[in-house]
Structure formats: structure tokens, C-alpha cells
Amino acid sequence: MAFLQWRRFNFFDKEPVKDPATDQVFDLLKDVNVSACTSGRGQLVVGDFEGNLYFINRQMELTAFKAYEIRVTHLLQLKQHNLLISIGEDEQGVNPLIKVWNLEKMERGNPTCTRLTRAIPGNKPTPVSAFSVHENLNFMAVGFENGVVVLFKGDVTRERHSKSRNVYEGTKRVTGLAFKSQGKDIFLFVVTENITVSINITSKDQQNILENTGASPGCIVMSDASQDNQLVIGRQDAVYFYQPDGRGPCMAFEGIKLQLHWFRGYLIVVGKESKTLPRAPTLGPHGMEMNTVTVYDIQNKFIAYSAPYPEVIDVMCESGSIFIFTGDRKLYQLQEKDTQSKLEMLFKKNNYTLAISLAKSQQLDQDGLIDIFTQYGDHLYSKGDHDGAIDQYIKTIGKLEASYVIRQFLDAQRIHNLTKYLQALHMSQTATEEHTTLLLNCYTKLKDVSKLDEFIMTKNREVDFDVETAINVCRQSGYCAHALALAEKHKKHEHYLKIQLEDIKDYQRALHYIAKLDFEAAESNLKQYGKILMSKAPIETTELLKKLCTDYKPTDKPLIDQNSLEGGQPSRIQNANAESFIHIFVNNSAKLTEFLEHMIEVQPSSSNLVYNTLLELYLHHMVHEKVIAVRVERERKTLELLKNPDANYDIDQALILCQMNNFKAGILYLYEKAHLYQQILRYHMDHSEYIHVIEACKKFGQQDPQLWVQALSYFACKEDNCKPQLMETLSHIDKKNLLPPLMVIQILAHNSTATLSVVKDYIVRHLQLENDQIAEDERLIKQYREDTDKKRTKIEDLKTSAKVFQASKCNICSHSLELPSVHFLCEPHSYHQQCFESYAENDMECPVCAPENRKIMDIIRAQEQSRDLHEFFHNQLERAPDGFSVVADYFGRGVFNKVTLITDQPPRTGSASSR
């Protein structure tokens, strides 16, 4: 019955089951006339024709009890419940009974029978030929030899509330029943000797004929989840698989099949091999006919075990092993080899494909699979099958070190295979920069532009390589178009611009690309590449800079954003600092001038660096201009910039620039703007501009009177004929009394051309004024002496003579004076006592004379304080080692500030008193 196309292996170890107590072959069933077998829940169950049930546990201990009076015909151990369902007979005749045994509840040492039901279809006694129980314990199907199938619905463990109905009636014996749950539906497979049917018992018992061919008893089994819980039927020509809606695949296993069993994804077939030539059957040691037990791995398509056994009664699968019960009443155990042992057997035969398939079906861990792929790849490589080897190595990506594979194919110069591996490496997202470099070098070596395009330029492709590495390799290999496309696609602005400017030298396209970038990227790239762009495309670069430094918006975006159109807050203006780009205008002062003029026009509040640079450019152009008319225009433009009230230039730097370029108008304007009037005067003096010296003194003399003094000294030192200017200067000094006459004469003494006639009138006038002042002072002295004598006389009278008070009216209320009254010696003044107390600030002082007396006392105190301070200051100054620090200290305390004395009397000298 061997399937010749399938490989044959021995993945199971056979050994007779031994009794652990005696270590002898297990023979406790040697006298049992076996009628039915089942297994599950850790034990083997055997029924005999005497009505006994035998239980064999994992320790091979045997227990038994009498279940039926006559015989046991069918047994079923549920997988998910510790329940045993049996069918047998207690009375002679055709009277099958269904008994449900609860193996967890014992009664008198035996399992408890929870249900006893007669199995008779429609009151027509007939033997039971097959039965099945659903694991949900709600359905039980019983098939009979007359072709009827009865379905019991309800709790399987109890007869009460259980209902039965005929779900199928045929003409031939029912040979197999099986349940299958599919979604919310439950199907019952019914197999007879001549037909295979599926019945939807949850949908009005709808029948679906799957095959107009049936099967023999024992040749029906349900697969496990690895084969989608299909119905498996063995016929002489093949093994067929069925779903509730039709037939599935089939396996051409020829030969007579006696039994079918399922174990962990394996199909176990007990049968006879069919031979074309008839011969006598092979007999065992006891004269029994030999059967072949074959274990098929359906998923991986190989035979895992095959061996002859004498008249196999049944095969039971339990505790991870296969138990074969033979006609000589012996139990044989097939123990599956471990996965590693299986793989080693396959490796020895170089059957790596099957090893991989087996490892996957056995849920071998990833490391184990990788090891198989690696060995398989090494095997194929050694045989020269490089294409097959690389396919296996690709499966190891992520676990096996990539350099192991790369080194082999580099040495073998198998660049095509290496390219394939590197592509897979990138697809798995495990490639490094070196792998990307190597792959791109492979493409370029092969000159495979199509693959290069596929790797780099395919749109909507997930990036599985290092972009910068790819750009560099393409660029170095001369594939600038690919590098450029890659840089543009992945927004590698720096690489894109380097390629455009250094390799392709398309400066216009580089500028258009920068103009599409967002603000930050455009700003940084213009700073980096601005010099070369300015040297090659100055006009376009300047225009782009103007936009960047005013109100930048990328060219591929609308001028008005959608948010503004919808009435929202407009986006903020983005602009760069113009001074950051001044350096890129090297050797192109004309464009720099244009750029800076644009900036101060659009942004009058530009930084002082912008204004300073523009002023420097103006002055540079002005100095080097040969055409007079153009030079005059540039002077006007420069002065206009200096006089611009919004111009934010640095005055000191502007002054230095104007001085360096000898721009007179600018120098004088900046001196005036900085209030440097003496520098203006000095400038005219240095250039011997007598008229401008006088004009400067007239213009700024009000702010700084010392200008006239400096002018006098200047003209006094000149030997030129400057008498008119000298006379005018002297006139202004005289009018404003800026210098004493003696100092004027000393200054003029330095000029040999200044004769006495120049200062004659000035000296005479001053002498006359001095005489008049002396006469006035003498008059005042005489007057003060007379006043002093009068005061002394009056004081003496007050001290020695009686004072008569004759006032008749109060000096406060002007009413008639009445007692009590208060009289003062001054004037004299008299007051009502009530009025005096109301208005007087001091009981000892006249209210009328008090303000005048207070002023006089303040003057006296100020004079006394000044006198004392003067003496103390001079004493400290004489003793101090550092006299300058003493003077600075007094200045800091405000001692030398002018004190103005306010009096109602005229001053006693010719000028205001300020002592």
C-alpha cells in the first residue's frame, strides 16, 4: 500500500508495551475476546464480547467491570469530557442499549451510569452499525444496519428531556458518523456502504450528497485542525477528504484499507497491499494474516512510518503515542522521534526541503529554521547551485550575519546572485549603509539601469535603504540623474544642490529648486551656496534674496493661503536678515547696492549693518567715479542717505567712512548731527576756510559760545590778512562778554599783523565800562554805610529810650484796638490778642514782619555756612596727599553748585548777589 511518490522515513520507534511492575511484555488482555476499543483522557478502553469494560491507565494498570450482560459492540471516549459512551446488549436478540458512564463518579468501585437508552429506530429492532457524539454533549447520532440514522438532541448524559428523530433513511448499512461545527451550523456526516452525505442538523436537516460512494466500517475518521477538521474516507483506490459542501483533495494511496485513524496531523492507515498477481496471504507467527500500519504526514507529504503487524484489531492514540492492538493480544507502542532527530535524519540524506517543511509543521522556533536554511544554502552552494543557494540564504535574513553570504558570492564573482540577496536585504529593512553602497555598485557594474531605476525611482515604494548613501554612490558612479532624482524625491536639499551646482552646473534649476523650499531650508541653502550662485546667476540670485529677506513664500504654494481666504488669521511674514547675505556679494558691488537699496526701501528699519554697508558702497562708487555729472549725482545720493531720518547707520562708522573718502558734505553733516560743533570749526580751520569759520561760529555760537573764543585764537595765529574776520570775531566776543579784555590782548599779541588800531576801540570801551562800574560801586558803598549808621542809631534808641505805642487799629483786622492787645517794637505794630493768637506762628515774632525777617535770617545763615565750608575745604585740600580726589568728592556732593539768594531788595552790587 506504499505511495511510491512519497519518501519513506522511520520517524517512530516501535516497542512492545511492558508492564512496569514486572518489566515483562504486557499480556493482561491475552484472554480477552475484544469487540471494541477507544482511548482518551489518559487511558485505553477495551470492550469484549462478554460485556466487560477494561481500563488501562498510563502506568499500564488494568481495571475492569461488567458493563453489559451479553456483549459490548461500540465504545467512544469523549476528548473534552471524562465520559465514556458505550453500546451493547443486556438481553438476547436485537436489543442494543446506549449507556453513558461518568468516569469521575464512582459507585461501588465502578463508574456511574448516568443514562440508559434503547437504540431502536422506529420500533424496528436492528443492530447498531455506527454512532458519534458531539463534544458539546447536546447531539448524539446512532446509525443502524438498515440504513437509518437517529439523532438524539438534548443532554447526552441524561435521558430526560432528550428527543430523537430520524435524520436519514437509506437502504444500505451505515458505516460511519461524524459531527463538524462550522460557524453557527452543525453538520452530521453520514457514510453508508453506497453514499456519503452531509446533513445540517441546525437547519431543518438539509442534506447534501457529497459522493455516491460510501465506505467500509472503520475506514472513516475526522482530521484535526491542521487539516481543517475534514471527513477522511479510505477506499481501495485513494483516501478522500470532505467538507460539508463537497469533496476536497484526495491522496492516491492504493490498497485495501481496513482502518483509518488520526494522530497529531498524521493519517494512520491499517490495510493490505494490493498486488496485481494473486498469492497466498502473508502469515504471522501464529498463522495470522499480516496487516501493514502506515503513518502518513499529509501536510509534508511523506511516510513517517510503515511496518507489518499480525491482524491489527485496533489503533489507539493516547498520551502522545500510538498504541497498536494486534490479533495476538499484544500492545505495541509507537513513540514519535523528537524533531531534532527527524531533522538529523533528513540532513544525512540532504533532504533539506522536507526538513524545512517538517520544521514549520512542528512549530520549530525561528532560530532552528534559520539553521536549516543556512545548511540548505551551504549544500546548494557546494553543489554549484548558486541560484538555489541564494534563495535559501535570503530566508535567513535578519538572523544570519549578512557578511557570511556576501563574502561567499563576492569570492565566487556571482554578482547577479549577490544583487538578488542585497535586494532582499533591503526589502527586509535590515540593510546598512555598506549594503546599500554594495548593491548600487552591483547595479552600476552590471550597467543595469532598469534595476537602478526600479530601486531608486519607483514611486510609492517604501524606502528600504539609506538615501544619502544611495545618492553618494550614484553620484560617484556617474549616475547624476539618478542621484538628483533621489535627492529631490526624499527632500535631500543639500545633496540636490551639490549635484546641480558641482556636477550638472545647472544654476537656474538650482535657484528654482531653492525657491520652492520652505523658509528655513531656503535660507540655509542660500547661505551655503549663495556665493557660487551669485557669481554664475547674479540677477536671479539677487531677486530671490530680495524675496527671502522681505516676505518669502515658496513658488509652488499660493500667494494667499487657504486660511486667509476662509477669514482666518493670515500666516506670519517670514523674512531673513539681510546682513546674513552681504558676504555672498563678493566681487559684485553693483548687485549688493541694488539689494541693499531694495531692503531699506521695503524695510526702513533695517539694521545698521545694512545702512553702513550701503553708505560704504555709495562712497566707494563716488570716489572712483570719473564722470563729474555722475559723481555729483552720487554725492547727492550719499548725502540723501545720511540725511534720511529713518536711516539706522552708526554715526561713528559713517563719520570714519566719510573721512576716509574725504566726503566733505557728509563729514560736516555728521559733525552737526552729533553736535560736534568744535569739530566743524576745526575742519574749516584746517582747510583755511575763513568765511566758513565765521559762518560756523554764527550758526552754532548760541549752542557753544566758546567757538568765538577759538575763532579769535585761530585768526590771531594767522599771519594772513584776516582783519575783517578778526574784527567780527572780536565784536561778538565783546557783545557776549566771553573773555576779559586782558586775555583778548594776550591772544592778539601772537599776531604780528594785529595792530593797536584793531583793539583800540575795544580797549577804550572796556575801560569806560570799568570806570562806570567803579563809580557805581563807590556810590553803593556810601549808601550802605549810611544805612548801617541809621540802623545802629535805631537799635541804640530801642535799647535806651521808651517806646510809645499809639496805634489805634489792629494791623490784622483793621478794627479799633481794644484791650487786651499785643504790641511789637517794629514799625510799631499792634494787634488784638485774639487776632494775634489766631495768625501768629510764634509768640515772640510779629506776624507782619516775620516773612521779611525770615528771608534775612536765611541769608545770614547761608553766608555763615559758606564761610565755614570754605575754610574747611581749604584746610582739607592742603592736608590731603591727593588734592584732585578731594575736589572730585566735593563736586560729587554738589558743593560747587550755584546758590541763588532771593530777596525783595535790589542787589548791593552791580550784579546779582551770589555768595
Side-chain angles (χ1 to χ4, degrees):
M1 194 176 73
F3 190 42
L4 298 180
Q5 287 80 358
W6 284 24
R7 289 179 175 270
R8 185 188 299 268
F9 300 97
N10 188 13
F11 286 164
F12 286 85
D13 295 324
K14 172 189 173 183
E15 59 180 14
V17 176
K18 294 183 178 181
D19 189 345
T22 61
D23 199 28
Q24 300 296 319
V25 175
F26 183 81
D27 59 352
L28 299 180
L29 297 176
K30 63 181 179 178
D31 299 325
V32 177
N33 189 10
V34 179
S35 61
C37 297
T38 188
S39 62
R41 309 293 293 184
Q43 60 186 357
L44 307 179
V45 184
V46 177
D48 65 4
F49 284 97
E50 283 73 36
N52 297 312
L53 288 179
Y54 300 90
F55 296 90
I56 304 172
N57 61 16
R58 287 191 176 96
Q59 289 75 34
M60 304 309 295
E61 298 172 345
L62 181 68
T63 58
F65 74 96
K66 186 79 170 178
Y68 291 91
E69 296 298 328
I70 297 180
R71 68 177 66 86
V72 178
T73 58
H74 297 82
L75 288 175
L76 177 63
Q77 171 71 55
L78 295 182
K79 304 297 182 185
Q80 300 178 14
H81 307 277
N82 200 7
L83 296 175
L84 176 67
I85 295 93
S86 62
I87 298 178
E89 297 177 356
D90 280 342
E91 300 174 358
Q92 292 293 336
V94 180
N95 190 20
L97 293 175
I98 302 173
K99 293 184 180 182
V100 178
W101 306 93
N102 189 341
L103 302 181
E104 293 180 350
K105 291 184 179 181
M106 305 300 289
E107 189 176 289
R108 296 179 182 177
N110 299 325
T112 302
C113 180
T114 62
R115 178 172 181 170
L116 178 63
T117 303
R118 293 186 180 276
I120 299 177
N123 295 321
K124 297 178 180 180
T126 180
V128 174
S129 57
F131 89 108
S132 180
V133 178
H134 197 285
E135 288 290 339
N136 65 7
L137 301 182
N138 283 325
F139 297 99
M140 179 170 59
V142 181
F144 298 91
E145 290 189 356
N146 63 358
V148 177
V149 177
V150 177
L151 178 68
F152 293 89
K153 183 179 180 182
D155 189 353
V156 171
T157 62
R158 289 177 175 78
E159 188 172 7
R160 185 181 299 177
H161 305 304
S162 179
K163 297 180 180 180
S164 64
R165 68 175 186 270
N166 293 352
V167 294
Y168 179 80
E169 294 183 2
T171 58
K172 297 291 184 177
R173 177 176 58 165
V174 177
T175 56
L177 295 172
F179 286 100
K180 177 180 174 65
S181 297
Q182 188 168 296
K184 295 182 179 179
D185 296 328
I186 298 177
F187 294 90
L188 173 64
F189 290 106
V190 178
V191 183
T192 68
E193 292 178 340
N194 64 346
I195 197 168
T196 302
V197 181
S198 71
I199 303 172
N200 190 340
I201 61 176
T202 56
S203 181
K204 299 180 181 179
D205 297 339
Q206 294 180 1
Q207 296 186 10
N208 181 21
I209 298 176
L210 304 178
E211 190 95 58
N212 287 317
T213 305
S216 302
C219 294
I220 299 116
V221 72
M222 288 294 291
S223 68
D224 60 13
S226 65
Q227 292 295 324
D228 199 21
N229 298 109
Q230 299 182 83
L231 175 70
V232 185
I233 296 179
R235 303 189 181 101
Q236 185 169 352
D237 56 343
V239 173
Y240 297 86
F241 292 79
Y242 294 92
Q243 292 283 12
D245 55 353
R247 194 177 83 177
C250 68
M251 305 289 180
F253 302 154
E254 296 183 355
I256 300 173
K257 290 130 182 107
L258 302 176
Q259 298 176 32
L260 259 63
H261 302 275
W262 197 269
F263 171 73
R264 289 183 175 178
Y266 293 108
L267 175 64
I268 304 171
V269 178
V270 179
K272 303 176 181 178
E273 292 191 18
S274 62
K275 302 295 181 180
T276 56
L277 296 176
R279 65 178 182 177
T282 304
L283 300 178
H286 300 286
M288 290 178 285
E289 185 176 347
M290 299 298 290
N291 299 145
T292 301
V293 177
T294 307
V295 181
Y296 295 95
D297 189 323
I298 301 299
Q299 182 174 349
N300 301 309
K301 294 181 173 53
F302 65 85
I303 297 174
Y305 176 81
S306 182
Y309 288 87
E311 290 187 6
V312 176
I313 297 175
D314 209 336
V315 176
M316 294 168 284
C317 304
E318 186 56 41
S319 302
S321 300
I322 301 172
F323 292 92
I324 302 173
F325 193 37
T326 59
D328 56 2
R329 301 301 186 272
K330 291 183 179 179
L331 264 177
Y332 295 92
Q333 182 178 7
L334 297 183
Q335 187 72 36
E336 186 177 8
K337 296 179 184 291
D338 61 86
T339 303
Q340 194 60 40
S341 299
K342 296 179 188 177
L343 294 176
E344 289 176 359
M345 294 173 64
L346 294 173
F347 292 158
K348 289 179 181 179
K349 296 182 179 182
N350 293 327
N351 199 334
Y352 293 97
T353 304
L354 188 57
I356 293 169
S357 177
L358 177 65
K360 289 180 178 178
S361 66
Q362 298 285 330
Q363 283 81 42
L364 191 67
D365 61 9
Q366 189 68 19
D367 292 337
L369 279 172
I370 295 300
D371 185 56
I372 298 173
F373 292 139
T374 304
Q375 292 187 51
Y376 192 19
D378 293 343
H379 171 70
L380 295 175
Y381 184 86
S382 64
K383 290 174 59 180
D385 185 2
H386 297 98
D387 294 338
I390 207 68
D391 290 336
Q392 297 305 316
Y393 286 134
I394 286 173
K395 297 175 183 177
T396 67
I397 289 175
K399 294 291 184 180
L400 180 65
E401 180 63 39
S403 60
Y404 174 82
V405 180
I406 293 172
R407 191 181 305 111
Q408 292 191 73
F409 286 89
L410 277 175
D411 296 341
Q413 296 183 352
R414 300 290 299 182
I415 193 168
H416 293 281
N417 301 119
L418 181 59
T419 302
K420 183 176 181 181
Y421 179 77
L422 291 171
Q423 285 176 331
L425 206 61
H426 283 81
M427 291 291 289
S428 66
Q429 302 286 334
T430 57
T432 63
E433 294 182 12
E434 291 77 11
H435 297 149
T436 302
T437 303
L438 186 57
L439 176 58
L440 292 172
N441 282 325
C442 289
Y443 286 149
T444 54
K445 292 285 186 185
L446 294 171
K447 299 189 182 301
D448 194 342
V449 180
S450 62
K451 282 288 186 182
L452 194 60
D453 290 342
E454 181 183 349
F455 184 72
I456 290 176
M457 296 186 175
T458 304
K459 293 183 178 179
N460 302 323
R461 177 176 178 272
E462 185 178 356
V463 179
D464 49 21
F465 56 88
D466 185 78
V467 176
E468 293 191 6
T469 302
I471 293 172
N472 292 330
V473 173
C474 290
R475 187 182 176 195
Q476 293 168 4
S477 303
Y479 289 86
C480 292
H482 293 79
L484 199 65
L486 201 58
E488 184 175 11
K489 177 181 178 182
H490 296 283
K491 302 186 186 307
K492 300 295 181 181
H493 310 313
E494 183 177 353
H495 290 283
Y496 180 92
L497 293 172
K498 276 187 177 180
I499 297 168
Q500 286 284 22
L501 298 176
E502 297 175 10
D503 301 332
I504 302 177
K505 301 187 185 302
D506 191 340
Y507 307 104
Q508 300 292 340
R509 184 167 292 182
L511 280 168
H512 291 321
Y513 182 82
I514 293 175
K516 294 179 182 179
L517 302 178
D518 56 33
F519 172 74
E520 289 80 6
E523 181 183 22
S524 62
N525 282 289
L526 269 179
K527 286 180 180 178
Q528 186 171 359
Y529 303 107
K531 285 186 179 180
I532 187 171
L533 289 170
M534 181 59 65
S535 64
K536 301 298 182 180
I539 298 175
E540 295 82 358
T541 306
T542 304
E543 291 302 317
L544 180 57
L545 279 173
K546 288 179 182 179
K547 295 178 182 177
L548 184 70
C549 296
T550 51
D551 184 8
Y552 177 77
K553 287 184 175 60
T555 55
D556 59 348
K557 293 184 180 179
L559 293 177
I560 302 176
D561 59 3
Q562 187 65 28
N563 190 33
S564 299
L565 291 175
E566 294 174 356
Q569 188 73 19
S571 58
R572 65 183 182 88
I573 295 176
Q574 292 181 308
N575 52 4
N577 294 325
E579 55 267 24
S580 302
F581 298 95
I582 291 176
H583 69 283
I584 72 173
F585 288 90
V586 176
N587 302 324
N588 199 336
S589 59
K591 284 299 174 185
L592 178 57
T593 303
E594 178 187 339
F595 171 66
L596 296 178
E597 285 178 343
H598 174 78
M599 289 308 303
I600 65 172
E601 180 182 353
V602 177
Q603 295 178 355
S605 60
S606 296
S607 66
N608 58 0
L609 181 59
V610 172
Y611 281 98
N612 293 342
T613 306
L614 182 58
L615 177 61
E616 185 176 357
L617 290 169
Y618 278 174
L619 291 169
H620 176 77
H621 294 157
M622 180 188 71
V623 170
H624 292 84
E625 183 57 55
K626 304 300 182 183
V627 181
I628 300 301
V630 179
R631 182 185 177 93
V632 171
E633 174 61 24
R634 289 189 170 173
E635 287 182 357
R636 182 198 64 77
K637 202 172 183 180
T638 306
L639 192 59
E640 188 178 89
L641 175 64
L642 290 173
K643 292 183 177 181
N644 184 359
D646 295 327
N648 187 26
Y649 55 82
D650 183 81
I651 293 181
D652 294 335
Q653 186 171 350
L655 189 56
I656 293 172
L657 291 172
C658 290
Q659 289 172 344
M660 290 173 60
N661 293 278
N662 197 22
F663 181 39
K664 178 181 178 180
I667 295 172
L668 294 176
Y669 173 75
L670 292 172
Y671 279 157
E672 182 179 352
K673 184 176 181 180
H675 305 292
L676 301 174
Y677 306 125
Q678 295 195 14
Q679 279 78 356
I680 296 174
L681 188 65
R682 177 56 57 189
Y683 182 85
H684 291 309
M685 289 176 178
D686 292 341
H687 291 81
S688 299
E689 297 172 345
Y690 301 157
I691 296 175
H692 292 305
V693 171
I694 297 299
E695 289 178 352
C697 289
K698 290 180 179 179
K699 186 175 182 180
F700 307 115
Q702 190 68 28
Q703 290 87 344
D704 190 358
Q706 289 298 315
L707 295 177
W708 288 108
V709 177
Q710 293 183 18
L712 180 63
S713 299
Y714 170 72
F715 288 124
C717 295
K718 289 292 181 182
E719 299 296 332
D720 300 337
N721 187 12
C722 52
K723 184 177 179 180
Q725 291 82 11
L726 189 60
M727 294 297 294
E728 187 173 358
T729 304
L730 195 57
S731 175
H732 280 85
I733 290 175
D734 186 22
K735 287 180 182 179
K736 297 182 179 180
N737 196 20
L738 298 177
L739 285 176
L742 184 58
M743 189 171 289
V744 172
I745 293 171
Q746 289 175 347
I747 291 172
L748 292 177
H750 294 87
N751 191 338
S752 60
T753 60
T755 60
L756 186 59
S757 60
V758 175
V759 294
K760 176 183 176 181
D761 294 339
Y762 171 77
I763 294 173
V764 170
R765 187 167 57 253
H766 266 276
L767 290 174
Q768 184 63 43
L769 289 174
E770 289 293 333
N771 288 332
D772 293 343
Q773 184 65 41
I774 290 170
E776 179 64 20
D777 289 343
E778 289 178 349
R779 185 189 65 79
L780 289 174
I781 291 170
K782 182 180 179 182
Q783 180 183 342
Y784 290 156
R785 284 176 177 172
E786 292 176 352
D787 291 342
T788 301
D789 291 339
K790 289 179 181 179
K791 293 291 183 183
R792 287 175 177 170
T793 302
K794 188 175 181 180
I795 292 171
E796 185 64 27
D797 288 343
L798 289 172
K799 288 181 178 180
T800 59
S801 303
K803 185 69 174 178
V804 179
F805 299 101
Q806 296 177 343
S808 60
K809 293 184 178 181
C810 177
N811 288 94
I812 292 177
C813 65
S814 301
H815 290 92
S816 297
L817 196 63
E818 297 176 355
L819 295 176
S821 60
V822 179
H823 304 276
F824 285 89
L825 295 176
C826 57
E827 288 304 324
H829 293 135
S830 300
Y831 310 94
H832 292 119
Q833 185 176 359
Q834 182 179 359
C835 293
F836 174 75
E837 292 174 352
S838 300
Y839 289 93
E841 296 180 3
N842 190 342
D843 293 343
M844 304 302 293
E845 193 172 8
C846 174
V848 176
C849 299
E852 186 65 26
N853 294 337
R854 196 173 295 116
K855 290 179 182 180
I856 295 171
M857 294 304 295
D858 289 341
I859 293 172
I860 294 171
R861 279 193 295 270
Q863 290 175 345
E864 291 177 350
Q865 183 178 3
S866 298
R867 181 194 62 197
D868 297 339
L869 186 62
H870 176 78
E871 293 175 356
F872 180 75
F873 169 72
H874 279 281
N875 291 333
Q876 189 176 1
L877 189 63
E878 290 174 359
R879 293 193 304 270
D882 184 7
F884 179 77
S885 62
V886 176
V887 176
D889 180 51
Y890 275 82
F891 263 110
R893 290 189 285 169
V895 173
F896 299 112
N897 294 343
K898 290 183 178 180
V899 180
T900 303
L901 301 178
I902 303 174
T903 63
D904 292 338
Q905 297 179 355
R908 298 182 183 274
T909 63
S911 60
S913 177
S914 57
R915 297 183 181 176

